[in-house]
Amino acid sequence: MKVIDLRSDTVTQPTPEMRRAMYEAEVGDDVYGEDPTVNRLEAMAAERMGKEAALFTVSGSMSNLVAGLTHCQRGDEMITGADSHIFYYEVGSVATLGGVQIRLLPNDAYGRLDPKAVEAAIRGINLHLPPTGLICLENPHNRCGGTVLPPDYIESISEIAQRHGVPLYLDGARIFNAAIYLGIDARELTKYVTSVSFCLSKGLSAPVGSLLCGDADFIRRARKNRKRVGGGMRQAGILAAAGIVALERMVNRLAEDHENARYLAENLAEIPGLSVDLALVQTNIVAVRVEKGSAGRVEAELAKEGVKVSNLGDGRLRLVTHYGIERADVATALKVIRDVMRRQG
Ligand code: TLP
């Protein structure tokens, strides 16, 4: 039985070209700054994000942590949305390792924070109050189902951040999906933020890695924090080589994943017992609410039939399209899902 794995785009396998590039990569000790392939990847990433410099990290979670450690002091407060990856899925890292308190604001169905609420949450100067060290946005928004923040919204938050002298960080793990959805260059989304990270190991299919981007001084300090959390890598050019192929070859094909997600979502919406808000299906993620049976049971039964999905833990399942999932796989998955839903009481 062929397993159709829709749990995440993190399950993507490296392409043959990536494996060749890894094999042939010229490497050095990156902690000394001497890995030419890492240096090349970092320069490419900075250029793609319109920032001065970039830092190759192990994962999106490490980029988010290092961004928090670098922008904030211990005892600062970081503003983020209640469904953000930073708050929801990163084991409380900025709090436990950075001594940074998270100030949680509700986000709407698209992952947006209310600009007025953001402004109101920024702390004034008072002996009792923790200083606001950072405001975070996520684009596309994972738990909202891959929804995209447009440039004018990011600009509105950036104006507030600048007015109060607080840096604005963008968790852009899937930033190229957002750019492709909007039909714009990713720099249009990053020009309003102080720093941004994006992942190589999701839809771009590289095996490992994320890039944290910002101005040269920020990246110099971030490099020290990456070392502090044990993320200084040595001959990391082996990994960076795959990342270079990812940036050069895998960005434009994300449109195919979006088309497959749309096809999947439109068909899921027709299945009795499931509901999908099609307005929220903008990139490669489909969040579907299970209204007949339980999400956990549906997830388990699908897995038995060879269709893997992930559980968002609130009655919704998440299905993600990616490199390696063809239109025919989506059609097969839909057939399995229809059968499983028919059996739910
Ligand atoms: N998200 C993973 C899981 O952790 C949920 C996934 O399967 O989608 N920011 C965003 C917006 C993310 O979606 C993720 C990964 C990360 C950061 C963290 O990246 P990694 O997994 O590389 O640490």
Side-chain angles (χ1 to χ4, degrees):
M1 177 172 66
K2 182 185 173 192
V3 173
I4 300 171
D5 195 343
L6 301 171
R7 284 173 303 172
S8 184
D9 46 11
T10 59
V11 304
T12 40
Q13 294 282 318
T15 64
E17 191 181 351
M18 285 179 191
R19 290 181 187 271
R20 265 196 306 279
M22 293 171 81
Y23 181 78
E24 289 165 3
E26 204 187 321
V27 297
D29 188 331
D30 180 51
V31 172
Y32 290 107
E34 291 173 4
D35 189 303
T37 310
V38 171
N39 292 342
R40 198 172 140 222
L41 173 66
E42 289 180 344
M44 273 176 85
E47 202 258 330
R48 297 284 178 113
M49 294 295 114
K51 300 292 174 201
E52 268 174 23
L55 179 71
F56 185 39
T57 73
V58 169
S59 64
S61 302
M62 185 183 276
S63 283
N64 288 343
L65 170 61
V66 169
L69 293 176
T70 308
H71 283 301
C72 299
Q73 306 290 316
R74 289 186 79 76
D76 279 2
E77 191 168 73
M78 170 197 278
I79 296 174
T80 189
D83 286 303
S84 65
H85 196 277
I86 290 179
F87 172 69
Y88 213 97
Y89 289 124
E90 294 180 13
V91 210
S93 66
V94 288
T96 52
L97 304 174
V100 175
Q101 163 166 298
I102 287 189
R103 177 77 176 271
L104 219 50
L105 295 181
N107 51 260
D108 70 8
Y110 291 84
R112 291 176 299 210
L113 308 178
D114 175 358
K116 286 199 191 73
V118 171
E119 186 144 32
I122 296 174
R123 304 287 199 156
I125 297 170
N126 179 304
L127 176 67
H128 304 82
L129 306 178
T132 302
L134 187 62
I135 301 168
C136 303
L137 296 175
E138 182 175 318
N139 196 22
H141 198 288
N142 183 347
R143 277 188 68 80
C144 288
T147 48
V148 172
L149 303 176
D152 57 343
Y153 171 77
I154 302 174
E155 185 182 15
S156 70
I157 299 293
S158 153
E159 277 168 11
I160 294 166
Q162 279 179 29
R163 197 155 56 237
H164 293 271
V166 178
L168 176 61
Y169 171 66
L170 180 64
D171 174 356
R174 299 181 176 85
I175 189 82
F176 294 109
N177 294 83
I180 283 187
Y181 170 73
L182 295 167
I184 58 177
D185 191 284
R187 280 172 284 229
E188 295 300 314
L189 295 167
T190 58
K191 68 181 180 196
Y192 303 110
V193 303
T194 319
S195 62
V196 55
S197 69
F198 70 88
C199 287
L200 298 169
S201 62
K202 299 195 165 58
L204 301 185
S205 308
V208 176
S210 164
L211 276 306
L212 176 61
C213 311
D215 71 32
D217 179 60
F218 169 77
I219 292 301
R220 188 183 49 71
R221 291 181 295 115
R223 198 173 290 281
K224 188 137 184 154
N225 281 322
R226 183 188 66 172
K227 190 81 184 78
R228 183 166 277 135
V229 296
M233 295 181 282
R234 301 296 178 175
Q235 285 69 35
I238 300 278
L239 302 172
I244 290 171
V245 176
L247 279 179
E248 283 177 340
R249 300 260 185 271
M250 301 300 280
V251 173
N252 291 338
R253 67 151 302 288
L254 294 172
E256 198 182 304
D257 299 339
H258 296 185
E259 283 161 24
N260 281 335
R262 182 80 346 232
Y263 170 76
L264 175 64
E266 282 169 358
N267 282 281
L268 286 173
E270 301 294 316
I271 299 177
L274 295 179
S275 76
V276 184
D277 186 340
L278 292 175
L280 303 180
V281 182
Q282 300 183 338
T283 55
N284 67 329
I285 300 180
V286 181
V288 50
R289 189 162 292 286
V290 177
E291 284 166 346
K292 202 160 68 134
S294 79
R297 212 169 101 198
V298 171
E299 177 197 9
E301 288 190 25
L302 289 174
K304 271 193 249 154
E305 311 277 336
V307 175
K308 293 188 179 177
V309 302
S310 58
N311 192 333
L312 291 173
D314 58 359
R316 290 178 305 155
L317 297 174
R318 186 186 75 155
L319 292 79
V320 185
T321 53
H322 51 80
Y323 172 69
I325 296 291
E326 307 296 332
R327 180 58 67 99
D329 300 315
V330 179
T332 307
L334 280 164
K335 189 173 168 312
V336 173
I337 297 168
R338 257 182 229 112
D339 289 346
V340 165
M341 287 312 295
R342 212 172 286 130
R343 298 202 295 266
Q344 302 307 304

